[in-house]
Amino acid sequence: MRLSRFFLPILKETPKEAEIVSHRLMLRAGMMRQEAAGIYAWLPLGLRVLKKIEQIVREEQNRAGAIECLMPTLQLADLWRESGRYDAYGPEMLRITDRHKRELLYGPTNEEMITEIFRAYVRSYKNLPLNLYHIQWKFRDEQRPRFGVMRGREFLMKDAYSFDIDEAAARKSYNRMFVAYLRTFARMGLKAIPMRAETGPIGGDLSHEFIVLAETGESGVFCDSDVLNLPVPGDDVDYDGDLTPIIKQWTSVYAATEDVHDAERFEREVPADKKLNTRGIEVGQIFYFGTKYSDKMKALVAGPDGVDVPVHGGSYGVGVSRLVGAIIEACHDENGIKWPEEVAPFRAAILNLKQGSADTDAACEALYKELSAKGVDVLYDDTDQRAGGKFATADLIGIPWQILVGPKGLAEGKVELKRRADGSRENVTPAEAVARLTT
Amino acid sequence: MRLSRFFLPILKETPKEAEIVSHRLMLRAGMMRQEAAGIYAWLPLGLRVLKKIEQIVREEQNRAGAIECLMPTLQLADLWRESGRYDAYGPEMLRITDRHKRELLYGPTNEEMITEIFRAYVRSYKNLPLNLYHIQWKFRDEQRPRFGVMRGREFLMKDAYSFDIDEAAARKSYNRMFVAYLRTFARMGLKAIPMRAETGPIGGDLSHEFIVLAETGESGVFCDSDVLNLPVPGDDVDYDGDLTPIIKQWTSVYAATEDVHDAERFEREVPADKKLNTRGIEVGQIFYFGTKYSDKMKALVAGPDGVDVPVHGGSYGVGVSRLVGAIIEACHDENGIKWPEEVAPFRAAILNLKQGSADTDAACEALYKELSAKGVDVLYDDTDQRAGGKFATADLIGIPWQILVGPKGLAEGKVELKRRADGSRENVTPAEAVARLTT
């Protein structure tokens, strides 16, 4: 992408309404724009990151055997009356009446709808286990939306729903999602720690939140610092095999949110030098809720003995749009964002330090063509901005690899390859720069 | 994907509520499920098609220089008061009040919001031309939703918005979208004909609808049959070059919807044996509306002389979810859907005609592994269904290539390769089948 043809409205001033760094940087970097309280338009740079996060979530859901579908944003109120949650949900549910006076709502989650779909088609244990997920916009009418996409009202969530014949099978489904989440967040460059959590309005008796440690997080957390160094399962993990050793390893080390914190156990089990009491950002939560919805909504399947039993369910959420903010909270410095490579809007940027000069123009064009042809997602800053401005923009928007092309270096056949993560720079030939980014 | 692990709820009965063939086939093939009047959940098979269509639309928008963003589904009523459309839009607009009594609406289109974004950031002709698009769910509260996804209430639309300094430049932007649409629909295996059309609530004085001919279409159309054989621009089309010869070629042959039909000209210009009067399905519409929104919403840019002028705009829609139905209307037979390869949910299916038999199981597993490894999107029917049922399912869901693996053929080292498009079958070795699908 040539920057001269892209739409990247960088802000010079730090917006006053933004209270936390991710919100400030997303506005300054031209990633999004507020259209109403807690409702944002994703500008092209922000959308690129959102899509990369979404794709990682999708790939890891698929790898774990979940199947993608897509439920609508609007739902019938009557569906929620079946589960009893229509009245229970309170003012955070956006209630809507259509032209025929039918009551609808903007879905904040989809347990009811997926249960309705399940009971319409599935009758036998032979079709289980089943895990259906979708990645769709949700709405939660927050009393006081704030912190940009971290606590927006319209937000993008991945929610998966598992169906099993009994609790033992349902716990296996739960474990598959547990492992998928470990992999999902690690691929984004995050250390997200699973912590025992309360179940809240979803219900059930087993739940983990996945928490990224950050001072700006909304929850207090307590953990053993050893949990930060546990190994994340590789892409060869066998989801059909026994995952309990992985789950045991991750759940035996103390880690809990303040809501369910056991001060006595924390004191007893965790050595003083490993006690971590900080704050965290929730980026995912998983639930096993048994027959809570299938009982009320009559989602029954015949077991091997031919007798109908209510199906056992779990649900598994990832805050896709919230993750954009969470990653920035974890990956930034005073100059801007430092995207992990897997979620960067562009993997590399070419900075033409003397636009309009024949030698730098030719070298940049050649690099741009070659990198694009080799499938590298590259942004070519071909604007008339002075070199200092180009450095500042590339750092602000957090491009992991920056190729600086100036007349002095070129005279010696060299460009500078800069890594945003640590600021290191190296003089290399253009061919070496290409090789570095493609091997 | 192994069918035993997929979620494909085929219906044996033809649903009574479905009036047209695409609606019937989408329900029978387990592609979607109605959740409320005109509101559908996309089941896994349907979502795969929707995503492929969306991706073709995206690639052709990008190729034409449009830049993707993503606006939210909900919008502020006040934004629409600026343009005067809040009251004008009528009962098809879904109006919503949030917990703080703020008036919102579920966006049926985004001219106002994109103009708000534009005026916030763009001040100079130097940043033009600009074309921003998004692919987002919209809502139109139809009085009587029907025909499945063809006239749903919640629907997925691609809408692009161009901004130019004057009418001449705006017409160039219009032409780029015109050409992009020719390519977009052709890639999906459709003959979509651009026809002069009325502008309706979007406004403006220049508009074309892109229409797929089908007896079940909602509009009457008149055209010269020569228009069906015009060449579609290749992927080497130069969007920076002069596109007027292409536009002239496509607009000089008579083609119009009944709303703007000129009976006298039709009579005069079109030879009797080329007169076509049939019905059509609108799959896209493009508009040039000049300064209609920029005047009212004060979206001004400085021209080369430093004087502020209202920006010239156009908007360009593609009905992404509607296209799923439109393609089925154009591509089906009595046995089911015949997907064009580019939009098929799976490109190939492997039908194990004797599941549980060592030889067919081994041959199918080998084919499945090899095709998957080579990047072919393949569905392996590994269920216990009898052979006849597997044939019927593969034809119903419209898989373009079907590899039939039975014990008799295997004894001679052969499988059958069947093409859904014409029903032709051929005995080939498994290696030949793989080669056919990968070269």
Side-chain angles (χ1 to χ4, degrees):
Chain A
M1 178 65 66
R2 289 169 198 275
L3 183 52
S4 63
R5 295 185 164 211
F6 196 55
F7 181 63
L8 183 69
I10 299 285
L11 298 186
K12 297 238 184 298
E13 306 295 318
T14 296
K16 282 183 196 130
E17 74 270 28
E19 299 170 61
I20 59 173
V21 67
S22 60
H23 191 186
R24 279 196 295 275
L25 287 173
M26 286 184 73
L27 290 170
R28 282 194 53 214
M31 291 180 65
M32 50 89 144
R33 174 173 180 78
Q34 181 170 304
E35 290 298 329
I39 300 179
Y40 295 91
W42 293 78
L43 302 180
L45 193 79
L47 180 60
R48 284 182 159 251
V49 177
L50 188 70
K51 289 266 177 202
K52 294 210 172 170
I53 291 171
E54 182 184 324
Q55 185 57 21
I56 291 172
V57 171
R58 175 176 291 122
E59 286 171 12
E60 295 303 327
Q61 289 292 295
N62 293 347
R63 194 194 304 277
I67 301 170
E68 189 172 8
C69 62
L70 184 59
M71 289 175 270
T73 61
L74 299 192
Q75 309 185 16
L76 283 178
D78 280 344
L79 193 58
W80 286 63
R81 292 202 171 94
E82 284 193 51
S83 71
R85 286 208 294 180
Y86 188 67
D87 295 322
Y89 219 90
E92 291 199 352
M93 177 182 280
L94 187 66
R95 293 152 209 263
I96 302 171
T97 306
D98 75 9
R99 68 190 289 173
H100 297 300
K101 307 291 172 220
R102 280 175 298 216
E103 291 172 287
L104 301 168
L105 57 95
Y106 200 121
T109 179
N110 286 61
E111 281 81 7
E112 283 79 0
M113 190 179 280
I114 200 76
T115 302
E116 191 280 329
I117 291 171
F118 178 87
R119 76 181 174 193
Y121 299 115
V122 184
R123 302 264 182 274
S124 163
Y125 76 98
K126 289 179 191 158
N127 299 114
L128 304 181
L130 178 65
N131 185 328
L132 293 168
Y133 76 97
H134 74 158
I135 302 175
Q136 178 62 292
W137 292 90
K138 312 282 192 298
F139 200 91
R140 201 170 39 209
D141 202 357
E142 294 270 2
Q143 168 73 12
R144 197 191 156 204
R146 59 197 295 209
F147 302 148
V149 300
M150 298 282 282
R151 206 190 293 176
R153 293 198 293 167
E154 188 171 327
F155 60 99
L156 186 61
M157 186 163 103
K158 185 285 299 180
D159 35 327
Y161 302 90
S162 66
F163 299 93
D164 284 282
I165 189 65
D166 57 26
E167 179 172 342
R171 283 180 181 266
K172 284 184 188 162
S173 292
Y174 186 92
N175 290 349
R176 279 192 284 272
M177 287 293 105
F178 189 109
V179 170
Y181 278 34
L182 291 176
R183 286 191 42 78
T184 298
F185 300 121
R187 278 188 59 189
M188 295 173 195
L190 291 176
K191 276 198 190 289
I193 300 163
M195 301 193 183
R196 281 298 294 253
E198 291 202 321
T199 55
I202 303 289
D205 62 356
L206 172 62
S207 178
H208 285 88
E209 284 181 358
F210 287 74
I211 303 252
V212 175
L213 302 187
E215 283 305 324
T216 46
E218 73 279 340
S219 325
V221 298
F222 297 82
C223 65
D224 182 328
S225 61
D226 277 352
V227 78
L228 296 170
N229 304 314
L230 289 175
V232 171
D235 60 10
D236 57 346
V237 61
D238 177 12
Y239 282 105
D240 293 330
D242 180 13
L243 299 173
T244 50
I246 300 172
I247 309 298
K248 281 206 177 122
Q249 184 181 39
W250 279 87
T251 53
S252 60
V253 181
Y254 191 90
T257 61
E258 57 196 349
D259 297 337
V260 297
H261 178 51
D262 178 345
E264 206 177 304
R265 193 187 139 198
F266 188 61
E267 208 46 54
R268 190 174 65 239
E269 288 184 8
V270 186
D273 62 334
K274 293 188 171 173
K275 279 197 173 69
L276 206 55
N277 175 11
T278 179
R279 302 195 69 76
I281 301 166
E282 183 209 323
V283 289
Q285 187 165 7
I286 61 179
F287 302 88
Y288 164 65
F289 46 67
T291 59
K292 170 173 168 161
Y293 297 93
S294 57
D295 273 336
K296 288 192 174 144
M297 296 182 67
K298 305 266 180 300
L300 309 177
V301 284
D305 56 3
V307 176
D308 279 352
V309 293
V311 73
H312 283 248
S315 69
Y316 314 91
V318 170
V320 177
S321 49
R322 151 171 277 230
L323 270 163
V324 180
I327 293 170
I328 296 174
E329 291 292 332
C331 310
H332 69 272
D333 63 15
E334 65 283 5
N335 296 322
I337 305 166
K338 295 159 73 171
W339 292 116
E341 288 202 31
E342 280 242 35
V343 299
F346 297 95
R347 184 147 171 262
I350 300 166
L351 276 51
N352 187 338
L353 304 185
K354 200 167 178 190
Q355 201 72 39
S357 168
D359 53 348
T360 58
D361 285 7
C364 288
E365 288 290 336
L367 274 167
Y368 179 60
K369 287 212 180 91
E370 191 170 354
L371 287 170
S372 301
K374 290 187 168 163
V376 178
D377 224 354
V378 59
L379 180 70
Y380 170 22
D381 189 343
D382 61 344
T383 64
D384 291 332
Q385 216 183 170
R386 64 187 169 73
K390 291 190 180 186
F391 295 144
T393 295
D395 278 0
L396 173 62
I397 67 175
I399 308 303
W401 295 95
Q402 302 168 13
I403 307 175
L404 319 182
V405 182
K408 273 174 71 177
L410 272 189
E412 293 165 16
K414 295 289 177 73
V415 297
E416 245 184 320
L417 185 63
K418 175 180 162 184
R419 249 187 101 180
R420 177 69 177 100
D422 58 10
S424 62
R425 293 161 176 243
E426 206 179 335
N427 284 311
V428 296
T429 65
E432 284 165 345
V434 171
R436 199 72 69 81
L437 291 171
T438 50
T439 47
Chain B
M1 177 65 66
R2 289 170 197 274
L3 183 51
S4 63
R5 295 185 165 211
F6 196 55
F7 181 62
L8 182 69
I10 299 285
L11 298 186
K12 297 236 184 300
E13 306 294 319
T14 295
K16 282 182 197 131
E17 75 269 28
E19 299 170 61
I20 60 173
V21 66
S22 60
H23 191 186
R24 279 196 295 275
L25 286 173
M26 286 184 73
L27 290 170
R28 282 194 53 215
M31 292 180 65
M32 51 89 144
R33 175 172 180 78
Q34 181 170 304
E35 291 298 330
I39 300 179
Y40 295 91
W42 293 77
L43 302 180
L45 193 78
L47 180 61
R48 283 181 159 253
V49 177
L50 188 70
K51 289 267 177 201
K52 293 210 173 170
I53 291 172
E54 182 184 325
Q55 185 57 22
I56 290 172
V57 171
R58 175 176 292 123
E59 287 171 12
E60 295 303 327
Q61 289 293 295
N62 293 346
R63 194 194 304 276
I67 301 169
E68 189 172 7
C69 62
L70 184 58
M71 290 175 269
T73 61
L74 299 192
Q75 309 186 16
L76 283 178
D78 280 344
L79 193 58
W80 286 63
R81 292 202 171 94
E82 284 193 51
S83 71
R85 286 208 294 180
Y86 187 67
D87 296 321
Y89 218 90
E92 290 199 352
M93 176 182 280
L94 187 66
R95 293 152 208 264
I96 302 171
T97 305
D98 74 9
R99 68 190 290 173
H100 296 300
K101 307 291 172 219
R102 280 175 298 215
E103 291 172 287
L104 301 169
L105 57 95
Y106 200 121
T109 179
N110 285 63
E111 281 81 7
E112 283 79 0
M113 190 179 280
I114 200 75
T115 302
E116 191 280 329
I117 290 171
F118 179 87
R119 76 181 175 194
Y121 299 115
V122 184
R123 302 264 182 275
S124 163
Y125 76 98
K126 288 179 190 159
N127 299 114
L128 305 182
L130 178 65
N131 184 328
L132 293 168
Y133 76 97
H134 74 158
I135 302 175
Q136 178 62 293
W137 293 90
K138 311 283 193 297
F139 200 90
R140 201 170 38 209
D141 203 356
E142 294 269 1
Q143 168 73 12
R144 196 190 156 204
R146 59 197 294 208
F147 302 148
V149 300
M150 297 281 283
R151 205 189 294 174
R153 293 198 293 168
E154 188 170 327
F155 60 99
L156 186 61
M157 186 163 103
K158 184 285 299 180
D159 34 327
Y161 302 90
S162 67
F163 299 93
D164 283 281
I165 189 65
D166 57 25
E167 179 172 344
R171 283 180 181 266
K172 285 185 188 160
S173 292
Y174 186 92
N175 290 349
R176 279 192 284 273
M177 287 293 106
F178 190 109
V179 170
Y181 278 33
L182 291 176
R183 286 191 42 77
T184 298
F185 300 121
R187 278 187 61 190
M188 295 173 194
L190 291 176
K191 276 196 190 291
I193 300 163
M195 301 194 183
R196 281 298 294 252
E198 291 203 320
T199 55
I202 303 288
D205 62 356
L206 172 62
S207 178
H208 286 88
E209 284 182 358
F210 286 74
I211 303 251
V212 175
L213 302 187
E215 283 305 324
T216 46
E218 73 279 340
S219 325
V221 298
F222 297 83
C223 65
D224 182 328
S225 61
D226 277 353
V227 78
L228 295 170
N229 304 314
L230 289 175
V232 171
D235 60 9
D236 57 345
V237 61
D238 177 12
Y239 281 105
D240 293 330
D242 181 13
L243 299 173
T244 49
I246 300 172
I247 309 298
K248 281 205 178 124
Q249 184 181 39
W250 278 87
T251 53
S252 60
V253 181
Y254 191 90
T257 61
E258 57 196 351
D259 298 337
V260 296
H261 178 50
D262 179 345
E264 205 177 304
R265 193 186 139 199
F266 188 61
E267 208 46 54
R268 190 175 65 239
E269 288 184 8
V270 186
D273 61 334
K274 293 188 172 173
K275 279 196 172 71
L276 206 55
N277 175 11
T278 179
R279 302 195 69 76
I281 300 166
E282 183 208 323
V283 290
Q285 187 165 8
I286 61 179
F287 302 88
Y288 164 65
F289 46 66
T291 59
K292 170 173 169 163
Y293 297 93
S294 58
D295 273 335
K296 288 191 175 145
M297 296 182 67
K298 305 266 180 301
L300 310 177
V301 285
D305 57 2
V307 176
D308 279 352
V309 293
V311 73
H312 283 248
S315 68
Y316 314 91
V318 170
V320 177
S321 49
R322 151 171 278 229
L323 270 163
V324 180
I327 293 171
I328 296 175
E329 291 292 332
C331 310
H332 69 272
D333 63 16
E334 65 283 6
N335 296 321
I337 305 165
K338 294 158 74 171
W339 292 117
E341 288 202 32
E342 279 243 35
V343 300
F346 297 95
R347 185 148 171 261
I350 300 166
L351 277 51
N352 187 338
L353 303 185
K354 199 167 179 190
Q355 201 72 39
S357 168
D359 53 348
T360 58
D361 285 7
C364 288
E365 287 290 338
L367 274 168
Y368 179 59
K369 287 211 180 92
E370 192 170 354
L371 287 170
S372 300
K374 289 187 168 163
V376 178
D377 223 354
V378 59
L379 179 70
Y380 171 22
D381 188 343
D382 61 343
T383 63
D384 291 332
Q385 216 183 170
R386 65 188 168 73
K390 291 190 181 186
F391 295 145
T393 295
D395 278 0
L396 173 63
I397 68 176
I399 308 302
W401 296 96
Q402 302 169 14
I403 307 176
L404 319 182
V405 182
K408 273 173 72 177
L410 272 189
E412 293 164 16
K414 294 290 176 71
V415 296
E416 245 185 320
L417 185 63
K418 174 180 162 185
R419 249 188 101 180
R420 177 70 177 97
D422 58 10
S424 62
R425 292 161 176 243
E426 207 179 335
N427 284 311
V428 297
T429 64
E432 283 165 345
V434 170
R436 199 72 69 81
L437 291 171
T438 51
T439 47

